[in-house]
Amino acid sequence: MKAEKVQDLVEEHAQETEIKSEKRVRALVDSEHYRDAVQEVRDFGVFKIITMTATDMGDEFEVIDHYECDDGVVLDLKHKIPKGDGSLTTITDIFPGAIFYEREIIDLFGIEVEGHPDPRRLYLADDWPENKHPLRKGMYNYHKLAEKNISEIKDIAEDEDFEPEMMIELEKDNKNRKSLLEWLENKASEEEEE
Amino acid sequence: MTFKVPVGPQHPALHEPEHFKVELEGEEIVDVDLRLGYMHRGIEKGLQDRNYHRGIYLAERVCGICSVAHSLSFALAAEDIADMQVPERADYIRTIVAELERLHSHILWAGVAGEEVGFQTLFMTMWRDREKVMDLLEMVTGNRVNYSINRVGGVREDIEDKHAEKILKNLESLEEDLKRYVEIFPSDSTVLARMKDKGILPKKKAQELSASGPVMRGSDIKRDVRADDPYAAYGEIPFDVPVETGEDVLAKAVVRLRECLESIEIIRYALDAMPEGSLMSDEVQGMPIGVNKGLPVGEVTGRVEAARGDLMYHMKSEGEEEDGPSRVKIRTPTLANIPAVFEMLEGESMAEVPIVLASIDQCFSCTERIAIVDKETHEKEIKNMQELREMER
């Protein structure tokens, strides 16, 4: 199956399609047409689902299904889910092999999957807090922040999304910046009182 | 009435930490459930915090057995984003090392399979013969595991004439051994009793459940990333993709052993056809390993055929001002084969559990990469390096 043929297959349901290279096709669909596109792919006899990649894009999630078509052509079918009330619709009835990939997304991103037959935890420990999802991106990369100097960190810490506890954890063993640590601890306890 | 029998996470027959709940009616398996998560290390998250040159060393440590496959697909993805041309000689060296890795992994598996069916001698002799490949890997790369041969833009070590000589010599004796094993497996009564018609995965089911690698090829589906979507030097090397029609555990074993013979041919051809030239792309030539260098905006999917099946790296770069990738998704073959193993187990008896599970050559350290320690709620568990060292004593 040539890349052009794969492109034709999803063209009808997609907002945009693109042939990246000889063996790679990319398509963007909206959530409404997502299942139609997947069904089309299946009906045509596309071989298998390789996996699903979710990415935290800030205000929305991007989910890419990777399908292996004939002759090693890979179709990346992308669609977007708004954060908050958005949810993914299951495709396990069309591709039963997707069951673990969807569970992985539920577990690590906290995206709800409508109609999933077995939406249990896959990787995380049983006592892992319900509302924490490791691969969601926080507002700040605290490891990178820690490389900045004290006044810069203090400036950024004024932002309400900043979590002083995360920074304290990184600074705890830094003997040279005791003043910053104290300042952060003060800030953390102030926030707690509020 | 049914009984639930827990298998694992610590179990003498399975050398991987996973927990299966097997539901039995009499001796017959009616349902299987799986709990993953004993090997979480947070590698996908970790890759987002590293630049490309450091990331490849972490990617390599996803799995000790298929480390070349991981570093290679990471490198392929990064090179694709950077639009970087890798020298031909480097492509050939990558191919040779990747095939050596496939050899050692398949022989290791066949030995373990021998042990699972109670054929200890087979286990011992296969692992003895595997040492011939391990010696070669150590000679070429300097390491027995985590070879660190691949870098973004090329390879780290050359294969010289004296190495090629030793490789050919060891492969010749290994080929003799392997030919013997290819005969033993489908004819020996112990192997037949435990592997023939056990763990059946029908062709239709294999496709439906999106199985991968030798598990799929044992069910008569001819798919191999090396042939379908050639990378490194595979496009220039003629080779065959072995398939078996048996659909049982034996078919999966024979596929792996025949792949070994094919790998030997690939290495011979590659050693002969390998052109002279540099090992690293001009763009990164002479750059220190830890250097900070971002890549242009891009999103690519890199695929490699690892020993256990197709391995995929999806990589996204936000632009040159970022040191490293903004998202790396790793899909390892074991996760793809788990729905298939459920299918294979149903209807079998409890005694077949170890060999049927082993037949997908499961590797759970690959499968479970993602986790971080929650610093807020698990505060007591966080130890610094000094404390860890003290605990060690």
Side-chain angles (χ1 to χ4, degrees), chain B residues 147-206:
Chain B
Y147 317 104
S148 307
I149 184 86
N150 293 310
R151 282 182 55 191
V152 178
V155 291
R156 200 173 50 87
E157 302 280 354
D158 198 6
I159 294 180
E160 294 165 23
D161 287 347
K162 57 177 184 191
H163 296 148
E165 237 169 74
K166 179 89 197 296
I167 293 175
L168 289 173
K169 187 167 154 257
N170 274 18
L171 287 187
E172 197 172 322
S173 88
L174 185 70
E175 193 178 22
E176 268 174 44
D177 303 329
L178 280 168
K179 280 187 175 151
R180 203 169 64 237
Y181 295 127
V182 174
E183 276 171 34
I184 287 177
F185 266 79
S187 60
D188 182 87
S189 57
T190 313
V191 177
L192 283 178
R194 296 296 308 277
M195 288 190 186
K196 182 113 182 93
D197 298 329
K198 302 283 188 267
I200 300 272
L201 180 68
K203 183 176 178 178
K204 194 166 161 283
K205 276 282 175 190

Side-chain angles (χ1 to χ4, degrees), chain B residues 299-335:
Chain B
E299 192 170 12
V300 298
T301 308
R303 292 182 82 203
V304 159
E305 185 76 22
R308 281 155 191 74
D310 63 300
L311 169 69
M312 191 205 84
Y313 268 60
H314 184 82
M315 191 184 281
K316 190 170 181 172
S317 163
E318 297 279 7
E320 288 187 16
E321 58 279 5
E322 294 288 325
D323 300 339
S326 68
R327 172 86 170 106
V328 180
K329 163 78 188 170
I330 311 171
R331 198 299 245 113
T332 56
T334 298
L335 190 61

Side-chain angles (χ1 to χ4, degrees), chain A residues 157-170:
Chain A
E158 296 302 326
D159 200 292
E160 58 180 51
D161 288 318
F162 183 86
E163 293 176 56
E165 294 84 4
M166 300 288 283
M167 203 72 213
I168 290 171
E169 204 54 60
L170 291 173

Side-chain angles (χ1 to χ4, degrees), chain B residues 331-371:
Chain B
R331 198 299 245 113
T332 56
T334 298
L335 190 61
N337 281 331
I338 289 174
V341 86
F342 288 175
E343 172 71 26
M344 284 150 68
L345 277 173
E346 265 166 46
E348 294 294 340
S349 73
M350 188 65 201
E352 317 297 349
V353 168
I355 181 61
V356 173
L357 285 181
S359 75
I360 67 162
D361 198 359
Q362 82 278 38
C363 176
F364 284 92
S365 74
C366 311
T367 306
E368 303 162 7
R369 308 153 312 276
I370 317 109

Side-chain angles (χ1 to χ4, degrees), chain B residues 66-171:
Chain B
C66 27
S67 61
V68 173
H70 280 273
S71 62
L72 181 54
S73 42
F74 185 94
L76 287 173
E79 285 153 8
D80 199 357
I81 292 181
D83 206 7
M84 196 185 279
Q85 209 57 39
V86 177
E88 251 186 272
R89 189 175 177 86
D91 269 343
Y92 272 87
I93 292 173
R94 283 175 170 184
T95 308
I96 292 168
V97 179
E99 289 309 313
L100 284 173
E101 183 184 70
R102 190 181 320 278
L103 272 174
H104 103 74
S105 175
H106 279 347
I107 300 174
L108 176 139
W109 175 82
V112 171
E115 194 202 7
E116 304 288 15
V117 300
F119 196 163
Q120 288 288 339
T121 319
L122 188 65
F123 166 59
M124 299 284 179
T125 53
M126 292 216 82
W127 279 45
R128 178 198 64 199
D129 298 335
R130 173 173 170 260
E131 282 304 308
K132 291 171 190 165
V133 190
M134 298 306 279
D135 288 348
L136 295 179
L137 280 166
E138 190 182 355
M139 177 187 74
V140 173
T141 67
N143 303 320
R144 273 173 65 96
V145 280
N146 295 337
Y147 317 104
S148 307
I149 184 86
N150 293 310
R151 282 182 55 191
V152 178
V155 291
R156 200 173 50 87
E157 302 280 354
D158 198 6
I159 294 180
E160 294 165 23
D161 287 347
K162 57 177 184 191
H163 296 148
E165 237 169 74
K166 179 89 197 296
I167 293 175
L168 289 173
K169 187 167 154 257
N170 274 18
L171 287 187

Side-chain angles (χ1 to χ4, degrees), chain A residues 57-116:
Chain A
M57 305 293 290
D59 49 356
E60 60 187 2
F61 293 111
E62 194 180 87
V63 179
I64 309 172
D65 297 12
H66 307 273
Y67 295 98
E68 182 181 325
C69 312
D70 287 344
D71 300 325
V73 177
V74 176
L75 166 67
D76 289 352
L77 191 68
K78 188 188 282 192
H79 77 290
K80 289 176 176 168
I81 300 170
K83 259 189 190 173
D85 57 346
S87 66
L88 185 69
T89 320
T90 187
I91 53 160
T92 46
D93 50 336
I94 307 171
F95 282 96
I99 186 159
F100 282 97
Y101 309 137
E102 285 184 356
R103 271 177 75 179
E104 194 173 359
I105 290 177
I106 297 172
D107 208 6
L108 300 172
F109 286 88
I111 302 175
E112 206 180 304
V113 179
E114 270 175 46
H116 192 279

